[in-house]
Amino acid sequence: DQQVKQNSPSLSVQEGRISILNCDYTNSMFDYFLWYKKYPAEGPTFLISISSIKDKNEDGRFTVFLNKSAKHLSLHIVPSQPGDSAVYFCAASGGSSNTGKLIFGQGTTLQVKP
Amino acid sequence: NAGVTQTPKFQVLKTGQSMTLQCAQDMNHEYMSWYRQDPGMGLRLIHYSVGAGITDQGEVPNGYNVSRSTTEDFPLRLLSAAPSQTSVYFCASSYSIGYSYNSPLHFGNGTRLTVT
């Protein structure tokens, strides 16, 4: 049972445009959500996070939106740059059954074309 | 500051062989975990530890053992390797399991394991 889903395996955008990466979750007990970015041959690195008490969090070009009623979060990158080309994972934690566990989605490969 | 160090970077095993993937962190993090990454499956949690002497199972623990005798080290053991264990393995650590308190996971660069 995939508790965190990223239904788009890949996304391609032009440099300077907006990239929108989506993530859905099924467990209503999740209370914290994170996005990680991964380059080839490297480990994932933390990008941005959001608590369930918020619906938006911004950090520079990156904004995460959370819609709790729809159990959906999205990552917006504006403007997109070629260096943003990577695999993006969303992750969630929370709830007594998930103590100590960070559950990841399948990942979305973003390609930003110059 | 080395962060999370994983060794080896690459390993090829034959079915039935055993081996240990090493993971060490120098950030004095209490929480450590092991993930495997497979195409189309994302990152799946194998085992985790909330402190020295304490370990617990994640989503896909079968075929793997762990122990945590020190804060710094969290080795992952494959007792009898199977082709289904061909994957990229990532070790990660964080200050605490409370991810909401500025404590994201720090990952190592991974070990690519092939079992033939």
Side-chain angles (χ1 to χ4, degrees), chain A residues 12 17 20-21 30 49 52 56 80 94 96 106 109:
Chain A
S12 182
R17 306 294 291 268
I20 300 177
L21 294 91
F30 287 145
S49 63
S52 61
K56 177 182 173 181
S80 301
S96 58
Q106 304 97 313
T109 299

Side-chain angles (χ1 to χ4, degrees), chain B residues 8-116:
Chain B
K9 286 186 168 50
F10 302 94
Q11 183 71 49
V12 179
L13 289 178
K14 291 187 183 303
T15 297
Q17 286 184 316
S18 63
M19 81 158 294
T20 300
L21 280 63
Q22 301 292 345
C23 175
Q25 52 89 11
D26 61 359
M27 297 173 281
N28 202 30
H29 285 169
E30 288 296 320
Y31 179 87
M32 296 185 74
S33 54
W34 277 100
Y35 286 86
R36 59 178 287 175
Q37 183 192 7
D38 302 292
M41 304 293 290
L43 293 159
R44 292 182 292 169
L45 182 64
I46 304 172
H47 284 285
Y48 65 98
S49 168
V50 300
I54 306 169
T55 64
D56 206 346
Q57 297 181 348
E59 303 168 87
V60 288
N62 293 339
Y64 308 95
N65 280 350
V66 292
S67 60
R68 183 95 180 270
S69 56
T70 67
T71 299
E72 295 78 19
D73 300 298
F74 191 43
L76 179 72
R77 297 184 187 84
L78 284 71
L79 297 179
S80 179
S84 61
Q85 293 178 305
T86 293
S87 187
V88 181
Y89 291 85
F90 289 100
C91 179
S93 72
S94 66
Y95 181 71
S96 74
I97 63 171
Y99 304 110
S100 55
Y101 300 110
N102 298 315
S103 179
L105 281 179
H106 297 262
F107 283 85
N109 283 332
T111 294
R112 185 174 292 275
L113 175 68
T114 301
V115 183
T116 61

Side-chain angles (χ1 to χ4, degrees), chain A residues 12 37 44 56 61 67 69 74 78 80-81 85 88 95 101:
Chain A
S12 182
K37 176 173 155 179
K56 177 182 173 181
R61 297 186 296 114
N67 182 334
S69 60
S74 60
V78 183
S80 301
Q81 299 173 354
S85 297
Y88 289 79
K101 299 176 185 176

Side-chain angles (χ1 to χ4, degrees), chain A residues 6 8 15 27 35 40 45 51 76 78 88 97 99 105 110:
Chain A
Q6 294 175 257
S8 297
E15 180 178 5
N27 190 338
W35 285 92
T45 55
S51 164
H76 293 211
V78 183
Y88 289 79
S97 65
T99 300
L110 173 66

